[in-house]
Amino acid sequence: CRQLFRSPSMPSSIIRPILKRIDRPQDRDTPVKTKRRRSVARTPSEEAAAEPVAWLLRSRSFSHEEIENLLANDHQELIGDFSKAYLLQTVQGKHQDLKYISPEMMVAVLTGQFSSLIESCVIVDCRYPYEYEGGHIKGAVNLPMEQDVEEFLLKKPIVPFDASKRVIVIFHCEFSSERGPRMCRFVREKDRACNEYPHLHYPELYVLKGGYREFFPQYQTHCEPQDYRPMHHEDFKEDLRKFRLKSR
């Protein structure tokens, strides 16, 4: 076996020493060792986020699909222009591509708990005017049609005076099931079209989970008038028919 390490030009009496892995000193941390130590204190989500780094250190090749998935996972909690994380705590909603907030979180915004971080909060009530007039969240603007919201938000975008603060937009309808989510997507689509990617006028959009139907019974004092008029009200059948025709 030793002759395997002998060069043909060497005398047979000279034996090349057998290579041996040098043991690292026990009191020094290697990069891998440091990485392992740090991961002990991490949460499961942080360990999952750090896993691709470990793969990269081992020179693992990623396919195009895997890279896209990693980027998507990395950006899933960032606002639309990827500049920062969402400010408001979100909850699970009907549409997975949208960010929902609870009625409690809406009240936290209304009562100024985020005033040091939010310069302007626009609450877009997407219900029909007769619903809005029958009772709405204080400060909400009634924009039931796409041309209305485009005129209000995009013709002259709202820009914060303080660049460190945010402008957020919260959409809702009666149940926040169809009209509110649809309007939220419309604003994002139009905003993308008039800006160079990934810049946006309104990168932080939310939908109020449960809509006015869930908000009103819990927080009537934040509504004016303090009442709730459903879309299918007996006295407004003709109004409903008219607005449905206009929205097609």
Side-chain angles (χ1 to χ4, degrees), residues 19 52 178 213 232:
L19 297 178
E178 298 299 334
R213 176 66 182 85
H232 293 283

Short mmCIF file of all heavy atoms in Angstrom, two decimals, residues 19 52 178 213 232:
data_model
loop_
_atom_site.label_atom_id
_atom_site.label_comp_id
_atom_site.label_asym_id
_atom_site.label_seq_id
_atom_site.Cartn_x
_atom_site.Cartn_y
_atom_site.Cartn_z
N LEU A 19 -0.93 10.66 3.76
CA LEU A 19 -1.68 11.87 4.07
C LEU A 19 -2.69 11.60 5.17
O LEU A 19 -3.36 10.58 5.19
CB LEU A 19 -2.41 12.37 2.81
CG LEU A 19 -1.50 12.77 1.65
CD1 LEU A 19 -2.35 13.18 0.46
CD2 LEU A 19 -0.56 13.90 2.06
N PRO A 52 -31.75 27.15 2.46
CA PRO A 52 -31.12 27.33 1.16
C PRO A 52 -29.67 27.78 1.25
O PRO A 52 -28.85 27.43 0.41
CB PRO A 52 -31.99 28.40 0.52
CG PRO A 52 -33.31 28.27 1.20
CD PRO A 52 -32.97 27.87 2.60
N GLU A 178 -66.47 39.43 -2.67
CA GLU A 178 -66.32 39.61 -4.11
C GLU A 178 -65.93 41.04 -4.49
O GLU A 178 -64.87 41.26 -5.07
CB GLU A 178 -67.62 39.22 -4.83
CG GLU A 178 -67.99 37.75 -4.66
CD GLU A 178 -66.96 36.79 -5.21
OE1 GLU A 178 -66.20 37.17 -6.14
OE2 GLU A 178 -66.87 35.64 -4.71
N ARG A 213 -70.39 43.63 7.28
CA ARG A 213 -71.30 42.73 7.99
C ARG A 213 -70.69 42.21 9.28
O ARG A 213 -71.38 42.07 10.30
CB ARG A 213 -71.67 41.54 7.07
CG ARG A 213 -72.55 40.48 7.74
CD ARG A 213 -73.91 41.04 8.07
NE ARG A 213 -74.75 40.06 8.73
CZ ARG A 213 -74.74 39.84 10.05
NH1 ARG A 213 -73.93 40.54 10.84
NH2 ARG A 213 -75.56 38.94 10.59
N HIS A 232 -79.22 43.30 -0.36
CA HIS A 232 -80.53 42.80 -0.80
C HIS A 232 -81.65 43.34 0.08
O HIS A 232 -82.54 42.59 0.51
CB HIS A 232 -80.52 41.27 -0.81
CG HIS A 232 -79.61 40.67 -1.84
ND1 HIS A 232 -79.92 40.62 -3.18
CD2 HIS A 232 -78.39 40.11 -1.72
CE1 HIS A 232 -78.94 40.05 -3.85
NE2 HIS A 232 -77.99 39.73 -2.99
#
